[in-house]
Amino acid sequence: MAEEKSLNFIEEIVEEDLKSGKYKEIVTRFPPEPNGYLHMGHAKSICLNFGLTEKYGGYTNLRFDDTNPVKEDVEYVDSIKEDVQWLGFQWKNEYYASDYFEQLYNFAVSLIKKGLAYVDDSTAEEIASGKGTPTTPGTNSPYRDRTIEENLRLFQEMRDGKYKDGEKVLRAKIDMAAINMHMRDPLMYRIKHAHHHRTGDKWCIYPMYDFAHGQSDSIEDITHSVCTLEFVPHRELYDWFIKSLEIFPSHQYEFARLNMTYTMMSKRKLLQLVNDGVVDGWDDPRMPTISALRRRGFTPESIREFCNRIGVAKRDNLIDVGLLEFCAREHLNRITDRRMVVFDPIKVVITDFPEGKTEWMEGENNPEVETLTFRKIPFTREIYIEREDFMEDAPSKYFRMTPGKMVRLKSAYIVNCDSVEKDADGNITQVNCSLLPDSKSGGENANIKVKGTIHWVSIEHAKKAELRLYDRLFTEANLDDAPGEFKDYLNLHSLDIIPDAYIEPSLLDAKDDDHFQFIRKGYFVLDRKHSSSEKLVFNRTVTLKDSWAKELKKGE
Ligand code: ATP
Ligand code: MG
């Protein structure tokens, strides 16, 4: 599936590090904060981190970056694990940054002892204004020169809960005139009397991201710590902590985050959509989350192929969501069984087919596989076809059903359209056709040239099912650059429900998450959440029409 590709820049670094003997094996990690469901951006990071150790050996850890007590939840932890595994990856160790709290505390104590950290009583505002600006240096805090003993005592008291939130912080003692603002005595610990989903009420001080992340990498012997570009300015501090603590030298490498057209990748904003009821949950099939894409019918293979195709960039860019849809079509075309489903029926009577007779047709399941298999499709005198596949007064180039012309019924006969019946108001109630004898596949007349082939279902055997057709959740391609708020661009017609479509009976055997191609209509999946034995619900993953393939051609 994947063509030979040149190495991405992180692979180049890894190959170099293995060749030079800098590392004997490489260790990566995927470090989500459990404060929401994973989205496509995370899929990109997962494919990169796990992809490296799949390719070069070594292993990848799953580390929950759960240093922020208030926003995190077990529900998110469970969904993250499910999503990573569903994508087809297995971590070696499941770790929690919160498991390192004691060790991180000891690291902080050792920095205090080296004279490299101090307790600051300044308010948040004082600290902010003391930081200076990118063009003017900051000013030293009046607490910067506390003795080591005093700092050790105060830090212990912070841990013991002697102070209220915000009363004190622990800061690294670096350089208030550093060009990099992150090096101007950054915060290491803050006081937060909050319950943590794993450590409970054991701690009332919590490490800041910069003091937790690199140290956690180092504790786990991570060789290549891959993150997104916004962390470039943090790298100097990442290195400073590791060097000052004299611990395992993990290194940070940054790549461009994935942005996709017509959607946004931010757990915070996606949570807003959930909380505001704009969507019916994190896994609403219109969301860019992995769980939503799964429900929508995207396959892990198609998501991995997408991540592979977009590569690993060093500069931010915007990827056309059409490429993801293209990857889905390509995979689904190869793996899905074909089925016939009529969305909006019109009745057709085959007047020369005996009443009460059922003829069982052989329908090819999937023409793309080497060993063809077939299903039985009942054919009877009365069938439904798609309303849009019939036209009474058709132009000469119309190749579907129209009086006086022949059309092929998929997997069945060629029929001639003879006449139309209408009610008093002139609405078409029925179309009458007659069979071309021996025109089934293999029959004498099967090869007669007929331009159109249409799908159908036997009225007697058809079952009803609900179809959900999705459109993009937003009307604007580049939400990041659009003026106003993302909510101004919600597409109010992103969900179209067809409550009673007619499905061929073999679809009654569909199981949760089974994928199909509904002939001429698109790829569908049985919705695991809303289907019941009384009512099957199918989500449309993508239509068959492929605008992306055309784009690719144009670019050639
Ligand atoms: P969000 O802003 O949506 O909360 P985040 O970066 O805060 O995203 P984390 O849970 O902290 O989410 O991220 C886990 C890993 O996934 C990090 O290494 C992060 O860099 C990576 N990641 C997050 N979003 C993207 C993205 N859009 N593209 C690529 N990688 C991403
Ligand atoms: Mg985050």
Side-chain angles (χ1 to χ4, degrees), residues 6 50 74 96 125 135 155 182 238 257 290 406 440 450 456 474 500:
S6 52
F50 284 90
V74 199
Y96 293 80
E125 295 73 39
T135 47
F155 188 48
H182 291 271
Y238 182 105
R257 59 191 300 121
I290 296 175
M406 288 197 289
K440 268 201 312 185
V450 177
W456 54 275
F474 295 96
D500 287 319

Side-chain angles (χ1 to χ4, degrees), residues 30-33 39 41-42 45 226 228 255 257-258 265-267:
F30 173 62
E33 185 179 352
H39 50 59
H42 296 112
S45 170
V226 181
T228 40
F255 70 103
R257 59 191 300 121
L258 167 65
M265 311 279 190
S266 153
K267 281 179 281 186

Side-chain angles (χ1 to χ4, degrees), residues 295-308:
R295 247 187 91 196
R296 172 94 171 246
F298 284 79
T299 57
E301 291 86 345
S302 59
I303 294 175
R304 289 174 68 155
E305 174 63 9
F306 169 77
C307 292
N308 182 41

